[in-house]
Amino acid sequence: MGGLVVRPAGRRKEILESFIRHVAEYGYERTNLGDIAKELGMSKGTIVHHFGTKAQMLCELEENYMNHQLDAVRSMWERLAKPQERIAAIVFASAILQVVARDATVASQREVVQLADDPGMQEVRKLRRELQRMTEEELRRGIDEGLFRPVDVEVVSLQLWGSVQWMWVWFQPGGRHTPEAIGSTFVDVLLGGLLVDRFGLSALSDPNGEVATVVRETFAADAAK
């Protein structure tokens, strides 16, 4: 897993990566700490010593993923100033994460229902709201600057995140479509419906254009740390 991957030290790193992989493949409910212990040649007590409960492991997975996603978006936005560029960056990032951090992305997104009312997920919900707030702010700025049509920014933000966060269900790494191609199509449709003037849409949705390049470089720099 590259990109948005937390790198804890020692055996803790092995345990968390194995847990993430199991959740991505089987789902949280079917993930068994005993299976992980057997896979890693350790006792289940060692896992409990490092993490406590399985629920605490899921919470750590989600918090780590959301914190790194927020950091990545902020890094991209430092290089992309326009609202339409920043919205496009979110879309490309969501698609490219399906490859550069596949296990963590699938594990996080398939268990989104756990975030609804679980008291242990309060911090995760806070982080998700921050990402939502940042998105709404850029949509609102685009409207105020006459770049976007007047829309309900809350609904459009939910539409954006609701669509990209289900990519894991149908996207197949190494398949017919690259993540950049998927991102390009999503950007074309989403921004095509928002922009007052679509003259620059092809540049924004270009899988080899500036926005996609900034996203790829951001993840590459993070993976190299």
Side-chain angles (χ1 to χ4, degrees):
M1 296 178 295
L4 305 186
V5 180
V6 174
R7 302 173 179 84
R11 298 235 74 180
R12 201 173 193 280
K13 176 181 185 294
E14 291 181 84
I15 296 167
L16 186 57
E17 287 185 347
S18 180
F19 174 76
I20 290 170
R21 188 173 65 255
H22 277 247
V23 174
E25 185 171 353
Y26 306 114
Y28 174 72
E29 293 299 331
R30 294 173 60 196
T31 292
N32 186 289
L33 298 188
D35 293 338
I36 294 173
K38 182 177 180 180
E39 176 184 295
L40 298 178
M42 63 176 63
S43 69
K44 184 176 175 180
T46 301
I47 297 177
V48 174
H49 169 74
H50 282 291
F51 292 95
T53 66
K54 188 171 81 166
Q56 288 172 311
M57 293 180 75
L58 181 65
C59 184
E60 182 166 337
L61 182 166
E62 295 284 2
E63 285 188 24
N64 290 343
Y65 185 80
M66 288 306 305
N67 272 312
H68 280 73
Q69 192 172 11
L70 277 164
D71 287 346
V73 169
R74 291 182 181 116
S75 294
M76 295 168 197
W77 285 10
E78 286 179 2
R79 298 173 58 185
L80 300 166
K82 299 175 183 178
Q84 62 270 41
E85 293 174 332
R86 291 182 168 187
I87 296 299
I90 286 177
V91 176
F92 273 114
S94 298
I96 293 173
L97 277 171
Q98 298 296 328
V99 172
V100 301
R102 178 67 178 175
D103 287 344
T105 297
V106 174
S108 174
Q109 294 179 355
R110 76 178 296 164
E111 298 301 331
V112 67
V113 68
Q114 300 280 349
L115 306 181
D117 53 13
D118 186 337
M121 292 290 184
Q122 182 176 352
E123 178 63 20
V124 181
R125 289 194 291 272
K126 177 182 175 182
L127 295 170
R128 289 174 67 89
R129 284 195 298 270
E130 174 61 13
L131 200 51
Q132 187 91 8
R133 182 199 65 77
M134 291 169 64
T135 305
E136 292 177 6
E137 189 174 276
E138 291 307 311
L139 290 169
R140 193 170 290 109
R141 185 162 71 96
I143 294 170
D144 292 343
E145 294 178 7
L147 300 168
F148 297 158
R149 296 186 301 106
V151 295
D152 185 319
V153 297
E154 183 177 353
V155 171
V156 172
S157 179
L158 289 170
Q159 180 186 26
L160 187 163
W161 285 108
S163 60
V164 300
Q165 289 181 341
W166 280 99
M167 284 184 188
W168 71 271
V169 174
W170 51 264
F171 179 77
Q172 294 296 323
R176 185 163 64 93
H177 299 292
T178 65
E180 289 86 355
I182 296 297
S184 174
T185 299
F186 271 57
V187 169
D188 185 71
V189 172
L190 178 69
L191 285 180
L194 283 174
L195 289 167
V196 173
D197 182 354
R198 299 184 186 180
F199 178 75
L201 181 58
S202 60
L204 292 166
S205 63
D206 184 353
N208 297 306
E210 180 184 8
V211 175
T213 298
V214 166
V215 173
R216 284 193 299 267
E217 289 177 352
T218 299
F219 289 142
D222 184 76
K225 292 178 181 176

